[in-house]
Every structure is written in structure tokens, then in C-alpha cells.
Amino acid sequence: VQKRYVAIVDGELDEEQGLVEYPIGKVFVDTHNEWACEVSGSEGAAFIRPGEPAREFVPESLRDASTSYQVRDKLDGRRTKVELMPHTGRGHQLRLHMAALGHPISNDAMHCERNKEPDKDLNNGKLCLHAERLLMDCWVPSDGVFQLSRVAVDSPPTF
């Protein structure tokens, strides 16, 4: 399965393209678990939101995570439209990886404190992340025989 997302992120990225490889796991917060990524390299400091204290991971929850990004368009000087391609499928992977780079997805109140009040003029205040393309190989029936076929689903973003 190949997935491609489009997002609007806060700020302008330093590089036109890149690869983010921060492992993702769970941390216990108050009464529940939340997803976090490990940015220190020591498997000890969990990043959930900028400005929050580091937390310890739930034992054995940390897994490798990898996301490629490509800048599509620099917007109003405050935001950038990017293409995101996850190579792994971890919970909140795209949101955590972009926030860890210092460029959270616009209107992401979960992983960026400054987005607690959404920008209603941007995507009606909703998270600016959209699954643009899904590509997968699957077995489909044809004349009574199953054949391997590539299926693509495209959905252009509204922002």
C-alpha cells in the first residue's frame, strides 16, 4: 500500500524535501495513553507537544517510524503546503513528525499548543491534512479467476 497526503504546515521548511525518522510510541498522560515521538535518540524522551516536559514511553511501545516530505508551495509566508508519504503506519505519525520538526500541521490542536484556537479562515478551522492518493495491489475476481490488480484512489484536497 502506498499513501500520499497533502498538508498545510505552520512556517516555512528549511529544506524542500526530507526524511523524518523519529520512532513513535505511547506515553501515559493523566488517565490515558497518547502517541509521542522520540526525538532525543536515547529512547527516553517523548515529544507530544512543544513546550511540554519530556515523558517516559510505555514499555515496549516504541516502534520505528519514517515519513518523507516534499514542499509543494510556499503560501502566505506563514505556511507551507507539503506532500507527505508515510513509509510506516504509526498512530499520529504525520502529525507528530511535522510537529517535531517545528512545523505542525495547521489547525492541529493536539500536537501544537499555538493551534488550540483553530484558524477558521483556513479549511473551516479543521485539521489541514488530507489523504490525496491511496495505491494498493489486491486480488479481484475476473471471469471466475482472481487476478492481481493495482487499485488507485485519488481525492484532491479542498485547500
Side-chain angles (χ1 to χ4, degrees):
V1 176
Q2 295 175 4
K3 302 174 187 175
R4 183 175 69 216
Y5 293 80
V6 175
I8 296 176
V9 299
D10 294 350
E12 290 189 4
L13 283 83
D14 294 332
E15 304 291 330
E16 290 291 312
Q17 63 184 22
L19 178 66
V20 185
E21 295 182 296
Y22 292 134
I24 292 177
K26 294 179 183 177
V27 295
F28 189 74
V29 178
D30 299 324
T31 60
H32 62 283
N33 286 325
E34 290 189 23
W35 293 108
C37 65
E38 196 284 308
V39 295
S40 71
S42 66
E43 294 189 13
F47 170 88
I48 303 172
R49 284 174 284 278
E52 285 196 1
R55 302 175 187 267
E56 290 186 26
F57 284 98
V58 171
E60 300 182 27
S61 71
L62 202 58
R63 302 282 183 265
D64 288 340
S66 175
T67 302
S68 295
Y69 70 86
Q70 172 75 48
V71 171
R72 279 199 178 173
D73 193 14
K74 293 183 179 182
L75 304 176
D76 54 17
R78 301 178 320 141
R79 295 188 175 99
T80 306
K81 185 181 279 191
V82 294
E83 180 177 294
L84 301 171
M85 284 116 349
H87 303 291
T88 51
R90 308 290 177 240
H92 291 240
Q93 177 175 323
L94 302 176
R95 297 167 75 172
L96 282 165
H97 278 172
M98 296 314 294
L101 289 180
H103 300 283
I105 295 173
S106 297
N107 290 337
D108 183 358
M110 183 174 288
H111 298 292
C112 183
E113 187 64 37
R114 70 176 174 257
N115 285 330
K116 287 291 184 195
E117 291 297 322
D119 182 346
K120 300 283 186 194
D121 294 328
L122 183 63
N123 199 30
N124 293 319
K126 296 182 279 188
L127 180 69
C128 293
L129 176 65
H130 180 81
E132 181 181 58
R133 182 173 178 82
L134 174 65
L135 183 67
M136 63 184 165
D137 294 330
C138 58
W139 293 97
V140 295
S142 176
D143 297 327
V145 178
F146 283 92
Q147 295 182 352
L148 190 60
S149 181
R150 180 156 286 187
V151 176
V153 178
D154 293 307
S155 173
T158 58
F159 50 79

